Amino acid sequence: QVQLVESGGGLVQAGGSLRLSCAASGRTINGYYMGWFRQAPGKEREFVAFINWNSGRGSYADSVKGRFTTTRDSAKNTVYLQMNNLEPEDTAVYYCAAKISVYSEYDYWGQGTQVTVSS
């Protein structure tokens, strides 16, 4: 089993930055595929970013491309989401998720961390 815990959320003004962390425990997540999702009030959960642990390559939703970057730290068993130039539309609960196969659904989810961007 893998437990995921997000942290780093908070209140920030538009144009500001935050870095979210997703710390894994229970087993190493080396080789897993890690995703970031978000859910705003009254909206469905949406994909934000994805990182292939082995290659370190990330992919991003168009709405965050060029502003958000996801990275991983094998020694810390942790994935990060650096969010720059934040906009009020980025306000949401952010979740990280993990899966062992790129073809499968996500197996593990964190509890989420709130990000609020004021205008």
Side-chain angles (χ1 to χ4, degrees), residues 44-67:
E44 293 190 353
R45 185 172 62 197
E46 65 175 358
F47 167 78
V48 174
F50 167 87
I51 185 167
N52 179 321
W53 193 278
N54 291 328
S55 68
R57 173 176 288 185
S59 61
Y60 304 90
D62 287 343
S63 59
V64 307
K65 199 172 294 184
R67 300 187 298 123

PDB file of all heavy atoms in Angstrom, residues 44-67:
ATOM      1  N   GLU A  44     -16.071  19.461 -11.602  1.00  0.00           N
ATOM      2  CA  GLU A  44     -15.515  18.113 -11.565  1.00  0.00           C
ATOM      3  C   GLU A  44     -13.997  18.175 -11.403  1.00  0.00           C
ATOM      4  O   GLU A  44     -13.363  19.173 -11.759  1.00  0.00           O
ATOM      5  CB  GLU A  44     -15.888  17.361 -12.838  1.00  0.00           C
ATOM      6  CG  GLU A  44     -17.369  17.079 -12.967  1.00  0.00           C
ATOM      7  CD  GLU A  44     -17.669  16.124 -14.118  1.00  0.00           C
ATOM      8  OE1 GLU A  44     -16.749  15.793 -14.885  1.00  0.00           O
ATOM      9  OE2 GLU A  44     -18.828  15.706 -14.228  1.00  0.00           O
ATOM     10  N   ARG A  45     -13.463  17.100 -10.890  1.00  0.00           N
ATOM     11  CA  ARG A  45     -12.016  17.011 -10.761  1.00  0.00           C
ATOM     12  C   ARG A  45     -11.381  17.021 -12.152  1.00  0.00           C
ATOM     13  O   ARG A  45     -11.884  16.380 -13.078  1.00  0.00           O
ATOM     14  CB  ARG A  45     -11.644  15.726 -10.019  1.00  0.00           C
ATOM     15  CG  ARG A  45     -10.163  15.581  -9.707  1.00  0.00           C
ATOM     16  CD  ARG A  45      -9.952  14.377  -8.813  1.00  0.00           C
ATOM     17  NE  ARG A  45     -10.368  13.140  -9.460  1.00  0.00           N
ATOM     18  CZ  ARG A  45     -10.604  12.010  -8.814  1.00  0.00           C
ATOM     19  NH1 ARG A  45     -10.476  11.972  -7.484  1.00  0.00           N
ATOM     20  NH2 ARG A  45     -10.964  10.919  -9.475  1.00  0.00           N
ATOM     21  N   GLU A  46     -10.269  17.738 -12.279  1.00  0.00           N
ATOM     22  CA  GLU A  46      -9.616  17.831 -13.575  1.00  0.00           C
ATOM     23  C   GLU A  46      -8.128  17.537 -13.459  1.00  0.00           C
ATOM     24  O   GLU A  46      -7.497  17.782 -12.431  1.00  0.00           O
ATOM     25  CB  GLU A  46      -9.820  19.215 -14.200  1.00  0.00           C
ATOM     26  CG  GLU A  46      -9.185  20.360 -13.441  1.00  0.00           C
ATOM     27  CD  GLU A  46      -9.307  21.691 -14.178  1.00  0.00           C
ATOM     28  OE1 GLU A  46      -9.854  21.735 -15.286  1.00  0.00           O
ATOM     29  OE2 GLU A  46      -8.833  22.694 -13.609  1.00  0.00           O
ATOM     30  N   PHE A  47      -7.589  17.037 -14.535  1.00  0.00           N
ATOM     31  CA  PHE A  47      -6.166  16.745 -14.630  1.00  0.00           C
ATOM     32  C   PHE A  47      -5.368  18.037 -14.658  1.00  0.00           C
ATOM     33  O   PHE A  47      -5.748  19.005 -15.327  1.00  0.00           O
ATOM     34  CB  PHE A  47      -5.908  15.933 -15.900  1.00  0.00           C
ATOM     35  CG  PHE A  47      -4.457  15.831 -16.275  1.00  0.00           C
ATOM     36  CD1 PHE A  47      -3.628  14.953 -15.630  1.00  0.00           C
ATOM     37  CD2 PHE A  47      -3.939  16.631 -17.290  1.00  0.00           C
ATOM     38  CE1 PHE A  47      -2.289  14.854 -15.978  1.00  0.00           C
ATOM     39  CE2 PHE A  47      -2.607  16.537 -17.656  1.00  0.00           C
ATOM     40  CZ  PHE A  47      -1.788  15.645 -16.990  1.00  0.00           C
ATOM     41  N   VAL A  48      -4.246  18.044 -13.945  1.00  0.00           N
ATOM     42  CA  VAL A  48      -3.359  19.193 -13.934  1.00  0.00           C
ATOM     43  C   VAL A  48      -2.001  18.844 -14.547  1.00  0.00           C
ATOM     44  O   VAL A  48      -1.521  19.534 -15.440  1.00  0.00           O
ATOM     45  CB  VAL A  48      -3.145  19.713 -12.493  1.00  0.00           C
ATOM     46  CG1 VAL A  48      -2.108  20.832 -12.466  1.00  0.00           C
ATOM     47  CG2 VAL A  48      -4.462  20.180 -11.903  1.00  0.00           C
ATOM     48  N   ALA A  49      -1.385  17.771 -14.033  1.00  0.00           N
ATOM     49  CA  ALA A  49      -0.031  17.437 -14.482  1.00  0.00           C
ATOM     50  C   ALA A  49       0.247  15.970 -14.201  1.00  0.00           C
ATOM     51  O   ALA A  49      -0.445  15.324 -13.412  1.00  0.00           O
ATOM     52  CB  ALA A  49       1.001  18.307 -13.782  1.00  0.00           C
ATOM     53  N   PHE A  50       1.291  15.481 -14.846  1.00  0.00           N
ATOM     54  CA  PHE A  50       1.660  14.069 -14.760  1.00  0.00           C
ATOM     55  C   PHE A  50       3.178  13.981 -14.892  1.00  0.00           C
ATOM     56  O   PHE A  50       3.779  14.749 -15.649  1.00  0.00           O
ATOM     57  CB  PHE A  50       0.981  13.321 -15.905  1.00  0.00           C
ATOM     58  CG  PHE A  50       1.495  11.930 -16.146  1.00  0.00           C
ATOM     59  CD1 PHE A  50       0.962  10.862 -15.446  1.00  0.00           C
ATOM     60  CD2 PHE A  50       2.473  11.676 -17.095  1.00  0.00           C
ATOM     61  CE1 PHE A  50       1.413   9.570 -15.681  1.00  0.00           C
ATOM     62  CE2 PHE A  50       2.937  10.396 -17.329  1.00  0.00           C
ATOM     63  CZ  PHE A  50       2.401   9.344 -16.623  1.00  0.00           C
ATOM     64  N   ILE A  51       3.784  13.060 -14.134  1.00  0.00           N
ATOM     65  CA  ILE A  51       5.216  12.863 -14.287  1.00  0.00           C
ATOM     66  C   ILE A  51       5.527  11.382 -14.350  1.00  0.00           C
ATOM     67  O   ILE A  51       5.023  10.589 -13.547  1.00  0.00           O
ATOM     68  CB  ILE A  51       6.020  13.562 -13.168  1.00  0.00           C
ATOM     69  CG1 ILE A  51       7.529  13.426 -13.437  1.00  0.00           C
ATOM     70  CG2 ILE A  51       5.648  13.031 -11.792  1.00  0.00           C
ATOM     71  CD1 ILE A  51       8.381  14.355 -12.570  1.00  0.00           C
ATOM     72  N   ASN A  52       6.310  11.036 -15.328  1.00  0.00           N
ATOM     73  CA  ASN A  52       6.838   9.685 -15.457  1.00  0.00           C
ATOM     74  C   ASN A  52       8.059   9.614 -14.551  1.00  0.00           C
ATOM     75  O   ASN A  52       9.063  10.277 -14.822  1.00  0.00           O
ATOM     76  CB  ASN A  52       7.214   9.426 -16.922  1.00  0.00           C
ATOM     77  CG  ASN A  52       7.794   8.052 -17.149  1.00  0.00           C
ATOM     78  OD1 ASN A  52       8.561   7.536 -16.329  1.00  0.00           O
ATOM     79  ND2 ASN A  52       7.464   7.455 -18.274  1.00  0.00           N
ATOM     80  N   TRP A  53       7.982   8.807 -13.506  1.00  0.00           N
ATOM     81  CA  TRP A  53       9.047   8.807 -12.514  1.00  0.00           C
ATOM     82  C   TRP A  53      10.386   8.435 -13.131  1.00  0.00           C
ATOM     83  O   TRP A  53      11.415   9.001 -12.820  1.00  0.00           O
ATOM     84  CB  TRP A  53       8.714   7.836 -11.394  1.00  0.00           C
ATOM     85  CG  TRP A  53       9.607   8.012 -10.220  1.00  0.00           C
ATOM     86  CD1 TRP A  53      10.865   7.509 -10.064  1.00  0.00           C
ATOM     87  CD2 TRP A  53       9.334   8.772  -9.041  1.00  0.00           C
ATOM     88  NE1 TRP A  53      11.395   7.911  -8.855  1.00  0.00           N
ATOM     89  CE2 TRP A  53      10.467   8.673  -8.217  1.00  0.00           C
ATOM     90  CE3 TRP A  53       8.239   9.511  -8.620  1.00  0.00           C
ATOM     91  CZ2 TRP A  53      10.524   9.301  -6.980  1.00  0.00           C
ATOM     92  CZ3 TRP A  53       8.301  10.130  -7.385  1.00  0.00           C
ATOM     93  CH2 TRP A  53       9.434  10.023  -6.579  1.00  0.00           C
ATOM     94  N   ASN A  54      10.365   7.454 -14.000  1.00  0.00           N
ATOM     95  CA  ASN A  54      11.625   6.951 -14.552  1.00  0.00           C
ATOM     96  C   ASN A  54      12.318   7.988 -15.430  1.00  0.00           C
ATOM     97  O   ASN A  54      13.532   8.187 -15.341  1.00  0.00           O
ATOM     98  CB  ASN A  54      11.382   5.673 -15.345  1.00  0.00           C
ATOM     99  CG  ASN A  54      10.990   4.513 -14.450  1.00  0.00           C
ATOM    100  OD1 ASN A  54      11.419   4.409 -13.300  1.00  0.00           O
ATOM    101  ND2 ASN A  54      10.143   3.634 -14.968  1.00  0.00           N
ATOM    102  N   SER A  55      11.549   8.649 -16.273  1.00  0.00           N
ATOM    103  CA  SER A  55      12.165   9.597 -17.201  1.00  0.00           C
ATOM    104  C   SER A  55      12.237  11.003 -16.624  1.00  0.00           C
ATOM    105  O   SER A  55      13.043  11.825 -17.071  1.00  0.00           O
ATOM    106  CB  SER A  55      11.384   9.628 -18.509  1.00  0.00           C
ATOM    107  OG  SER A  55      10.102  10.202 -18.308  1.00  0.00           O
ATOM    108  N   GLY A  56      11.350  11.270 -15.660  1.00  0.00           N
ATOM    109  CA  GLY A  56      11.279  12.624 -15.117  1.00  0.00           C
ATOM    110  C   GLY A  56      10.519  13.583 -16.014  1.00  0.00           C
ATOM    111  O   GLY A  56      10.399  14.768 -15.708  1.00  0.00           O
ATOM    112  N   ARG A  57       9.982  13.052 -17.103  1.00  0.00           N
ATOM    113  CA  ARG A  57       9.271  13.912 -18.040  1.00  0.00           C
ATOM    114  C   ARG A  57       7.871  14.175 -17.531  1.00  0.00           C
ATOM    115  O   ARG A  57       7.167  13.272 -17.115  1.00  0.00           O
ATOM    116  CB  ARG A  57       9.217  13.262 -19.415  1.00  0.00           C
ATOM    117  CG  ARG A  57       8.361  14.013 -20.416  1.00  0.00           C
ATOM    118  CD  ARG A  57       8.423  13.369 -21.782  1.00  0.00           C
ATOM    119  NE  ARG A  57       9.716  13.604 -22.422  1.00  0.00           N
ATOM    120  CZ  ARG A  57      10.006  13.226 -23.659  1.00  0.00           C
ATOM    121  NH1 ARG A  57       9.115  12.580 -24.374  1.00  0.00           N
ATOM    122  NH2 ARG A  57      11.183  13.476 -24.167  1.00  0.00           N
ATOM    123  N   GLY A  58       7.455  15.442 -17.622  1.00  0.00           N
ATOM    124  CA  GLY A  58       6.122  15.816 -17.193  1.00  0.00           C
ATOM    125  C   GLY A  58       5.247  16.203 -18.358  1.00  0.00           C
ATOM    126  O   GLY A  58       5.732  16.545 -19.444  1.00  0.00           O
ATOM    127  N   SER A  59       3.958  16.133 -18.138  1.00  0.00           N
ATOM    128  CA  SER A  59       3.001  16.639 -19.113  1.00  0.00           C
ATOM    129  C   SER A  59       1.959  17.433 -18.345  1.00  0.00           C
ATOM    130  O   SER A  59       1.736  17.183 -17.156  1.00  0.00           O
ATOM    131  CB  SER A  59       2.357  15.509 -19.916  1.00  0.00           C
ATOM    132  OG  SER A  59       1.656  14.627 -19.070  1.00  0.00           O
ATOM    133  N   TYR A  60       1.333  18.395 -19.033  1.00  0.00           N
ATOM    134  CA  TYR A  60       0.520  19.379 -18.344  1.00  0.00           C
ATOM    135  C   TYR A  60      -0.770  19.676 -19.088  1.00  0.00           C
ATOM    136  O   TYR A  60      -0.823  19.619 -20.326  1.00  0.00           O
ATOM    137  CB  TYR A  60       1.318  20.674 -18.172  1.00  0.00           C
ATOM    138  CG  TYR A  60       2.625  20.464 -17.447  1.00  0.00           C
ATOM    139  CD1 TYR A  60       3.785  20.160 -18.148  1.00  0.00           C
ATOM    140  CD2 TYR A  60       2.679  20.521 -16.054  1.00  0.00           C
ATOM    141  CE1 TYR A  60       4.978  19.926 -17.484  1.00  0.00           C
ATOM    142  CE2 TYR A  60       3.869  20.290 -15.380  1.00  0.00           C
ATOM    143  CZ  TYR A  60       5.014  19.990 -16.094  1.00  0.00           C
ATOM    144  OH  TYR A  60       6.186  19.749 -15.436  1.00  0.00           O
ATOM    145  N   ALA A  61      -1.776  20.037 -18.315  1.00  0.00           N
ATOM    146  CA  ALA A  61      -2.992  20.561 -18.910  1.00  0.00           C
ATOM    147  C   ALA A  61      -2.674  21.902 -19.566  1.00  0.00           C
ATOM    148  O   ALA A  61      -1.800  22.639 -19.107  1.00  0.00           O
ATOM    149  CB  ALA A  61      -4.064  20.739 -17.844  1.00  0.00           C
ATOM    150  N   ASP A  62      -3.389  22.205 -20.621  1.00  0.00           N
ATOM    151  CA  ASP A  62      -3.138  23.458 -21.341  1.00  0.00           C
ATOM    152  C   ASP A  62      -3.301  24.673 -20.426  1.00  0.00           C
ATOM    153  O   ASP A  62      -2.596  25.670 -20.580  1.00  0.00           O
ATOM    154  CB  ASP A  62      -4.092  23.580 -22.521  1.00  0.00           C
ATOM    155  CG  ASP A  62      -3.742  22.630 -23.653  1.00  0.00           C
ATOM    156  OD1 ASP A  62      -2.608  22.113 -23.671  1.00  0.00           O
ATOM    157  OD2 ASP A  62      -4.609  22.395 -24.518  1.00  0.00           O
ATOM    158  N   SER A  63      -4.199  24.566 -19.468  1.00  0.00           N
ATOM    159  CA  SER A  63      -4.490  25.708 -18.603  1.00  0.00           C
ATOM    160  C   SER A  63      -3.336  26.061 -17.677  1.00  0.00           C
ATOM    161  O   SER A  63      -3.285  27.177 -17.142  1.00  0.00           O
ATOM    162  CB  SER A  63      -5.743  25.429 -17.777  1.00  0.00           C
ATOM    163  OG  SER A  63      -5.572  24.271 -16.984  1.00  0.00           O
ATOM    164  N   VAL A  64      -2.403  25.134 -17.461  1.00  0.00           N
ATOM    165  CA  VAL A  64      -1.293  25.396 -16.544  1.00  0.00           C
ATOM    166  C   VAL A  64       0.061  25.335 -17.233  1.00  0.00           C
ATOM    167  O   VAL A  64       1.086  25.634 -16.617  1.00  0.00           O
ATOM    168  CB  VAL A  64      -1.303  24.421 -15.348  1.00  0.00           C
ATOM    169  CG1 VAL A  64      -2.658  24.426 -14.663  1.00  0.00           C
ATOM    170  CG2 VAL A  64      -0.923  23.006 -15.777  1.00  0.00           C
ATOM    171  N   LYS A  65       0.073  24.964 -18.482  1.00  0.00           N
ATOM    172  CA  LYS A  65       1.331  24.804 -19.206  1.00  0.00           C
ATOM    173  C   LYS A  65       2.105  26.117 -19.212  1.00  0.00           C
ATOM    174  O   LYS A  65       1.551  27.181 -19.476  1.00  0.00           O
ATOM    175  CB  LYS A  65       1.040  24.333 -20.630  1.00  0.00           C
ATOM    176  CG  LYS A  65       2.209  23.694 -21.342  1.00  0.00           C
ATOM    177  CD  LYS A  65       1.743  23.079 -22.664  1.00  0.00           C
ATOM    178  CE  LYS A  65       0.796  21.921 -22.438  1.00  0.00           C
ATOM    179  NZ  LYS A  65       0.406  21.262 -23.707  1.00  0.00           N
ATOM    180  N   GLY A  66       3.378  26.022 -18.901  1.00  0.00           N
ATOM    181  CA  GLY A  66       4.226  27.217 -18.833  1.00  0.00           C
ATOM    182  C   GLY A  66       4.218  27.893 -17.489  1.00  0.00           C
ATOM    183  O   GLY A  66       5.068  28.755 -17.219  1.00  0.00           O
ATOM    184  N   ARG A  67       3.282  27.509 -16.609  1.00  0.00           N
ATOM    185  CA  ARG A  67       3.216  28.105 -15.269  1.00  0.00           C
ATOM    186  C   ARG A  67       3.527  27.089 -14.182  1.00  0.00           C
ATOM    187  O   ARG A  67       4.079  27.446 -13.142  1.00  0.00           O
ATOM    188  CB  ARG A  67       1.823  28.710 -15.025  1.00  0.00           C
ATOM    189  CG  ARG A  67       1.436  29.788 -16.004  1.00  0.00           C
ATOM    190  CD  ARG A  67       0.118  30.461 -15.599  1.00  0.00           C
ATOM    191  NE  ARG A  67      -0.999  29.538 -15.593  1.00  0.00           N
ATOM    192  CZ  ARG A  67      -1.767  29.297 -14.543  1.00  0.00           C
ATOM    193  NH1 ARG A  67      -1.523  29.895 -13.391  1.00  0.00           N
ATOM    194  NH2 ARG A  67      -2.784  28.447 -14.615  1.00  0.00           N
TER     195      ARG A  67
END
